Amino acid sequence: MTSIQERYRAKRIYEITPGNEAVGLRLSDRVVELGKQEFEWYGKVAAWLPTVRGLADLSLELGMDEARVPKFVEALEKAGLLYRVEETPKTMSGIEFHQRFSGVLGSWLTEAFAHPFWERMMSGKGSARLFTGWLIELYHYTRNANRHMPLSCAYGHEKPIKQLRAKHYAEEWNHYHYFMKSLKALSFTEAQIADSVPLPMTLALSNFMRQAAREDILCYSVCSAVLEGTTTDRKTYNPYYEKSAELYGIPKAAVAPIYAHLDLDVQYQHSDLFHEILEKVPSLSAERASRVLDYGHQLVEHIWLWTDNIEKYYQVASNPMPRLPFDTLLD
């Protein structure tokens, strides 16, 4: 392993936007533009860094003289695409970690809601059926909080954090009733919804939260913080509901309970919970901090896949809505 490989690592790229002459790479705090040749070189450097292959191999791959490679790597660092391992702190306080989380949350949420479903719904190319299907799965996910939130209390070892998680559970456990009210306003019966089954990715999202709770209370809490990240004020969620109501004839009675639920989250200040938890954490190792952030980003990827599953199932008019449980006679 060369000194370059020991010194540098590639930062996470959240989105790559090809252009006619340049390629845009979105990081957590900036967009970096590279020429197409430089982008190709960057990809080879990023893939090479964690390996034990020598500098001569990289030089050959890049078609670049060995003496130029370190200068190109330094240029990538200055652009913000690479970071120095030695500058990464070995430990940090919980509050310092929260600052890092806050710096990437916006990029995470952008990635989570980059699925074409949202543009489709906001542009009028969606349907009332898609809105309703999304609402059904939101009901199931919120009801399934009773499968993972108790684990977050049980697996929390520090009493102050356990108390905060228990308080959150006490405030959230029955919020699926808000979505039931919305679905009743769309002419479903309580039995139809309660007896239906969630889509596979809805269940997968819930199970991922269960896994996070067992792994580390902070892994669970960062996932919870991401989910709470869009409920800080009405400007973040009003446009979708208002536009859907306007475009697809969604009655106000179906939207009002959703607003009531989101307003309650704001009232409970759930978006501040992660900060409160991290105030109780005097120190995190770099390894633990990295693992926690990885869980947060994995949740973002689950949200995208969840959205994809919702769109693909509910856009097919022949698929039952709500989804029916398996029946040995009918199936």
Side-chain angles (χ1 to χ4, degrees):
M1 180 177 286
T2 70
S3 60
I4 293 176
Q5 289 163 303
E6 292 173 341
R7 189 179 307 142
Y8 293 104
R9 289 292 178 269
K11 289 187 179 179
R12 190 189 299 276
I13 303 298
Y14 290 97
E15 185 178 18
I16 297 174
T17 306
N20 292 330
E21 298 181 0
V23 179
L25 286 75
R26 184 169 60 82
L27 306 174
S28 63
D29 60 345
R30 72 188 79 177
V31 174
V32 178
E33 286 197 348
L34 295 177
K36 292 189 175 181
Q37 178 66 80
E38 287 74 16
F39 172 68
E40 184 181 336
W41 287 342
Y42 158 75
K44 291 177 179 178
V45 171
W48 171 81
L49 283 173
T51 72
V52 293
R53 292 163 49 217
L55 185 61
D57 280 359
L58 178 62
S59 172
L60 187 63
E61 252 192 278
L62 296 176
M64 185 185 295
D65 187 87
E66 280 192 38
R68 285 186 58 202
V69 174
K71 294 179 181 178
F72 180 64
V73 170
E74 287 175 11
L76 293 176
E77 180 197 7
K78 288 178 182 176
L81 293 167
L82 304 181
Y83 69 92
R84 289 180 181 250
V85 175
E86 64 194 34
E87 294 176 359
T88 304
K90 302 301 180 187
T91 62
M92 66 185 74
S93 70
I95 296 304
E96 288 171 333
F97 178 81
H98 189 270
Q99 291 170 349
R100 295 200 170 212
F101 163 75
S102 299
V104 300
L105 179 59
S107 289
W108 283 2
L109 294 176
T110 297
E111 183 178 355
F113 294 102
H115 192 282
F117 171 85
W118 301 106
E119 191 278 332
R120 176 180 179 179
M121 293 297 290
M122 294 292 283
S123 67
K125 297 175 184 176
S127 64
R129 178 184 171 87
L130 279 174
F131 179 89
T132 305
W134 171 79
L135 196 58
I136 290 170
E137 298 309 314
L138 197 56
Y139 161 85
H140 280 299
Y141 176 77
T142 308
R143 185 176 181 180
N144 276 341
N146 287 292
R147 298 180 66 246
H148 55 77
M149 292 189 81
L151 289 179
S152 76
C153 305
Y155 281 86
H157 300 297
E158 299 86 359
K159 187 175 181 180
I161 296 178
K162 186 188 287 281
Q163 288 175 324
L164 287 169
R165 291 256 53 108
K167 179 176 180 290
H168 188 214
Y169 180 39
E171 292 169 348
E172 285 278 358
W173 74 273
N174 63 347
H175 283 190
Y176 61 91
H177 288 298
Y178 286 98
F179 302 105
M180 178 66 83
K181 288 179 183 177
S182 290
L183 290 163
K184 282 182 175 180
L186 293 171
S187 301
F188 291 95
T189 67
E190 185 162 343
Q192 280 180 301
I193 301 302
D195 295 341
S196 67
V197 295
L199 288 175
M201 277 308 303
T202 305
L203 196 55
L205 184 61
S206 175
N207 286 338
F208 177 74
M209 294 294 287
R210 288 167 63 82
Q211 176 187 333
R214 291 187 175 101
E215 173 73 22
D216 185 325
I217 191 61
L218 296 187
C219 289
Y220 181 88
S221 296
V222 75
C223 293
S224 178
V226 172
L227 290 168
E228 298 287 354
T230 58
T231 64
T232 52
D233 61 72
R234 280 211 169 203
K235 293 192 296 292
T236 61
Y237 50 79
N238 261 25
Y240 173 70
Y241 298 115
E242 291 178 355
K243 198 68 176 175
S244 293
E246 173 193 332
L247 291 170
Y248 310 118
I250 307 299
K252 289 183 178 179
V255 175
I258 304 173
Y259 283 144
H261 173 244
L262 291 165
D263 285 344
L264 190 59
D265 275 347
V266 174
Q267 180 184 324
Y268 283 144
Q269 298 181 311
H270 285 170
S271 62
D272 297 331
L273 177 62
F274 194 38
H275 187 273
E276 292 179 52
I277 287 172
L278 287 169
E279 284 180 324
K280 312 296 183 186
V281 180
S283 178
L284 289 84
S285 68
E287 292 77 15
R288 188 184 186 193
S290 178
R291 184 170 68 252
V292 172
L293 286 174
D294 184 58
Y295 263 83
H297 190 254
Q298 284 187 63
L299 180 83
V300 167
E301 293 173 338
H302 273 75
I303 291 173
W304 197 97
L305 291 169
W306 182 39
T307 308
D308 194 60
N309 195 190
I310 290 170
E311 181 180 49
K312 285 179 177 174
Y313 178 84
Y314 288 103
Q315 71 182 353
V316 179
S318 59
N319 285 338
M321 185 174 74
R323 192 164 172 252
L324 303 174
F326 180 79
D327 187 304
T328 53
L329 295 178
L330 297 177
D331 300 307

